[in-house]
Amino acid sequence: MFIAHSIADLRQRLSGARAPAFVPTMGNLHDGHIALLRRARDLGDLAVVSIFVNRLQFAPNEDFDRYPRTWEADCARLRAAGCDVLFAPDERELYPQPQTYTVRPPAELADILEGEFRPGFFTGVCTVVMKLFACVQPAVAVFGKKDYQQLMIIRRMVEQFALPIRIEAGETERSPDGLALSSRNGYLSPVQRAEAVQLSAALQRIAQAVRAGIDLSAVLAAETAALAARGWAPDYLTVRRQSDLQAAAPGEPAVVLGAARLGETRLIDNLEI
């Protein structure tokens, strides 16, 4: 595995590649990231992963400084899974001057759901992804469905800027008990980890109600109250249209989305219907 810490070294290594496949990450890798890497290996002639904890997508009160950095373990996992190139710039390399040029996605998609509770988050995401795309110049990029809204926003960004990149979606990887894999699961205490599965269980029950045609307003209110009674602080539980995350009409392809804080850890999940 070739490790590039500079954009110049990365571009030199990729100069002969015909169709690089790219997986951007913030490190602290888990089986979900490795599944995306394996997908990328099937889609391109060179599998490229980036590790960069992007300050632009963290609010001042969020966990940028304590976000887990697990460099040695990440490198070992990537080598074992067949990563060809790891791009791991530091902030001075990727942002040598203040990043005053940014990519701001439209409010109707970026200021709802995650964007409502994390203002500016998707501007930070789009800006770093656009910059990483400029560095790697991949033919295909793989993003996980767990970050459902992010995946949709990146797809739209690539379409509107006519970038020659195909965006592929990787299914959400889960633990045997149903918990969606996430780097932030590592923040959970053993007791919280046992409780964390209740978020995905709530989404399953909401999906069952949608399929059964049960009144959703009552179901959503009941599931929100049930999580709160168990010690969660829910941000949202909702059902939206898959195509644009607006209100879903009966019979339309939909997705159940949820976000809630358990102690100091904020978890998100979704389930397509």
Side-chain angles (χ1 to χ4, degrees):
M1 180 175 73
F2 180 85
I3 300 176
H5 293 289
S6 72
I7 296 171
D9 285 349
L10 174 73
R11 287 177 172 163
Q12 182 176 10
R13 175 63 181 85
L14 297 180
S15 60
R18 298 184 307 277
F22 178 44
V23 180
T25 84
M26 293 205 301
N28 192 28
L29 304 179
H30 52 67
D31 287 347
H33 295 113
I34 300 306
L36 299 181
L37 167 58
R38 290 188 177 120
R39 181 85 179 273
R41 289 184 61 198
D42 292 337
L43 294 170
D45 65 337
L46 209 62
V48 184
V49 173
S50 66
I51 292 179
F52 181 72
V53 184
N54 177 41
R55 189 185 298 271
L56 297 186
Q57 68 195 65
F58 288 80
N61 63 330
E62 292 185 327
D63 57 352
F64 175 81
D65 289 327
R66 74 183 187 105
Y67 192 87
R69 276 78 166 176
T70 53
W71 172 253
E72 295 296 336
D74 290 347
C75 287
R77 295 202 69 168
L78 292 173
R79 285 191 185 96
C83 177
D84 296 305
V85 179
L86 170 58
F87 179 43
D90 62 19
E91 285 192 291
R92 289 170 298 178
E93 178 67 18
L94 204 59
Y95 300 135
Q97 54 189 325
Q99 189 69 35
T100 54
Y101 283 79
T102 59
V103 179
R104 179 175 174 79
E108 64 268 19
L109 188 55
D111 292 352
I112 61 174
L113 302 171
E114 286 300 283
E116 179 181 350
F117 291 91
R118 303 182 69 187
F121 170 69
F122 287 116
T123 295
V125 169
C126 286
T127 300
V128 75
V129 170
M130 181 68 86
K131 196 155 194 177
L132 289 169
F133 282 170
C135 295
V136 177
Q137 299 182 33
V140 59
V142 187
F143 290 81
K145 283 189 179 181
K146 189 185 80 69
D147 297 295
Y148 203 88
Q149 188 175 7
Q150 173 180 281
L151 170 63
M152 180 173 293
I153 287 172
I154 295 299
R155 281 192 191 280
R156 299 283 181 86
M157 181 183 79
V158 166
E159 291 169 359
Q160 291 210 2
F161 281 101
L163 301 180
I165 302 169
R166 187 170 85 255
I167 302 299
E168 290 285 335
E171 296 296 330
T172 301
E173 296 288 318
R174 298 183 181 274
S175 298
D177 63 359
L179 178 67
L181 298 188
S182 169
S183 296
R184 287 189 167 90
N185 292 350
Y187 295 154
L188 300 171
S189 70
V191 172
Q192 290 171 333
R193 171 59 186 84
E195 172 64 25
V197 71
Q198 293 300 323
L199 179 59
S200 60
L203 299 189
Q204 290 280 1
R205 289 190 292 269
I206 294 167
Q208 290 170 3
V210 172
R211 296 185 187 104
I214 298 172
D215 176 50
L216 269 185
S217 58
V219 172
L220 293 171
E223 292 294 345
T224 300
L227 285 177
R230 299 182 67 97
W232 293 72
D235 284 342
Y236 59 82
L237 295 174
T238 187
V239 178
R240 299 297 177 93
R241 191 162 52 208
Q242 286 185 20
S243 61
D244 58 8
L245 297 182
Q246 300 303 306
E252 288 185 311
V255 57
V256 187
L257 304 112
R261 194 172 298 276
L262 184 58
E264 296 299 315
T265 305
R266 187 173 183 275
L267 301 177
I268 67 171
D269 201 353
N270 65 82
L271 184 64
E272 289 182 324
I273 308 172

